[in-house]
Amino acid sequence: MDATAAERPAEGFDAFAVSCPSRRLLDTIGNKWASLVIVALGLEGPMRFSALSARIAGVSQKMLTQTLRNLERDGLLTRTVTPSVPVRVDYGLTPLGLSLVETISHLKEWAEAHMAEVDRAREEYDRRNA
């Protein structure tokens, strides 16, 4: 009988294997919008949709909605509805989501610190391959 995901040991997953379910999770957290949502909520705390949208320049309403749903489905964030007029909805990280903040923050910081080098490499590559 197959073990449930909760019962399966971590070493039972191998993201290099084509059928490994951890690939779906990597797809989610490797998405630029998901990563930015996780970092924003991790550094700034729970936020409303409009605040997240303003904080993450360039994300469309549709993409932000889809990203939030995916993160909620994976147990990385919570959606809290407060009955009021108008209804207030806040998004915050779960403990599982919080466990990703440091890792993803480092990746974001690395990208910001090395973007000039990457731009130079891209320009050189494009020059060589034009």
Side-chain angles (χ1 to χ4, degrees), residues 48-108:
R48 296 176 78 172
F49 185 94
S50 59
L52 271 170
S53 183
R55 181 69 180 109
I56 304 171
V59 66
S60 68
Q61 181 175 345
K62 178 182 175 183
M63 187 54 64
L64 183 55
T65 298
Q66 181 180 341
T67 299
L68 293 169
R69 285 182 183 154
N70 288 340
L71 292 172
E72 182 180 13
R73 182 171 185 258
D74 286 345
L76 301 174
L77 68 75
T78 58
R79 180 178 182 269
T80 304
V81 179
T82 304
S84 60
V85 178
V87 173
R88 181 184 174 104
V89 179
D90 291 285
Y91 297 90
L93 294 177
T94 64
L96 185 60
L98 285 168
S99 72
L100 275 171
V101 173
E102 184 176 355
T103 301
I104 295 176
S105 291
H106 285 300
L107 185 59
K108 174 190 162 289

Side-chain angles (χ1 to χ4, degrees), residues 5 9 12 16 20 22 25 33 37 45-47 57 60 68-69 81 88 92 100 104 106-107 112 122 124-125 128:
F16 288 112
C20 185
S22 65
L25 180 58
W33 302 123
V37 165
M47 300 172 81
S60 68
L68 293 169
R69 285 182 183 154
V81 179
R88 181 184 174 104
L100 275 171
I104 295 176
H106 285 300
L107 185 59
E112 293 166 346
R122 287 175 178 174
E124 178 60 29
Y125 177 90
R128 286 192 321 265

